[in-house]
Amino acid sequence: MQSLDTATARRLRAGAQGIGGGVRAASAAAALDRAFAVQAQDQSAAALGLRVRAAGLTAADVVRALETDRSIVRGWFMRGTLYLVPAADLRWLTGLLGPVFLKLSARRYRELGLDAAALARAEQAVTSALAAEGPLTRTELAERLAGAGLDPSGQVPFHVLRRCALLGRICHGPTRDKEPCFVLLDDWLPAGRTLDQADAATELARRYLSAHGPAALEDFATWSGLPVTVARGAWRALVEGGEAVEYEVAGQPCLLPADRPPVAAPGEPDVRLLPAYDNYLVGYRTRALSVAASDERQVWPGGGQIRATVTADGLACATWSRKAGGRTVAVAAFHELSPEVRAGIAAEEADVMRFLGSNT
């Protein structure tokens, strides 16, 4: 087995994610096609996650891709977490991952008093309301649940809506007055391709590796939330099909797409301002290649928080935040930065403010 040094592996990962190697997409959809998925618990962070992977993107471009072109969509996918993914992939992803996270949620439904009859009544209330009234916010749908005799407070509306999405009945649609609305999936998106479970798992592994390689089986299993046996079978299928080649990275066997040369020549540092919770920082089981051990607490301070981070060729070198009511960017470096990295940060700061200003 050939080996890759960590610097080369890191540059390859950054290029695969579209945050290094000079790679920048021409549109929101193209950026997402390359990265495959962008964390979207926070909608503003998700938009910034597309900005950092594209050239000249505006906030209006992101809204257009979500609401007019409908080329990207927000929903619960890997690990049952909110992501932006290409809309064309929603149906097979939901078919693969939905049953996994519905099963894992069964205990929570019981804790909330949602037995089979209540869940069926809730699903009917939500889908009937959306069919009759069009896009509705979570608050509005909670009111419809109350009309069906369900608790409109606490976590019940969230789990009901998430369940309907995992079943492939609804999805996120437009935003109204800064509030996300839900829509019937079949009303919002055309029919997409469906795959059987084995083919879907292999497709997910293929797309993950394309966007994250070199990566290990443990990385894919952790990122996806698939059962390890399913993840292992999909991972093996890539090797057996000649689609992936094995390399050793830091003593661990990793795969790289077979059509991607294991060369990432260094040049001028490629600096990016990643948003909080960026997929590059959560797409692997460990942080060894992306953040030096001595700097981990700066990025992961605890409480599940992942700070907005500055990377140079895929290695975190600082964190950043918006100050003065969002009108400026403040950077906290982990160590002394080279003039080239500082110049890259200045360019990225200006682009962040340009992007945010395009939303006003």
Side-chain angles (χ1 to χ4, degrees), residues 21-41:
V23 176
R24 285 192 186 268
S27 67
L32 196 56
D33 280 341
R34 185 180 191 94
F36 182 64
V38 167
Q39 291 270 124
Q41 293 98 319

Side-chain angles (χ1 to χ4, degrees), residues 46-176:
L48 286 167
L50 293 173
R51 179 217 67 86
V52 77
R53 293 169 167 84
L57 196 69
T58 67
D61 291 334
V62 176
V63 173
R64 188 177 305 111
L66 281 162
E67 300 186 13
T68 303
D69 302 338
R70 302 181 188 177
S71 56
I72 64 180
V73 68
R74 183 178 184 227
W76 288 277
F77 301 106
M78 285 64 68
R79 305 184 311 286
T81 299
L82 282 170
Y83 275 91
L84 297 181
V85 300
D89 297 309
L90 180 145
R91 293 180 188 271
W92 69 261
L93 270 175
T94 300
L96 172 67
L97 298 172
V100 174
F101 301 114
L102 286 169
K103 183 177 180 180
L104 291 174
S105 299
R107 178 178 177 181
R108 184 59 180 147
Y109 297 153
R110 292 193 296 271
E111 291 171 348
L112 293 169
L114 296 170
D115 59 15
L119 288 170
R121 196 164 70 251
E123 181 185 344
Q124 181 63 36
V126 168
T127 55
S128 295
L130 293 178
E133 304 175 63
L136 294 172
T137 66
R138 174 174 162 176
T139 299
E140 290 166 338
L141 287 168
E143 293 172 355
R144 307 309 184 270
L145 291 174
L150 295 154
D151 182 0
S153 63
Q155 288 294 300
V156 167
F158 165 78
H159 281 282
V160 164
L161 294 176
R162 182 173 177 268
R163 178 177 181 273
C164 288
L166 292 173
L167 287 168
R169 302 299 305 279
I170 70 172
C171 67
H172 283 76
T175 296
R176 185 190 340 125

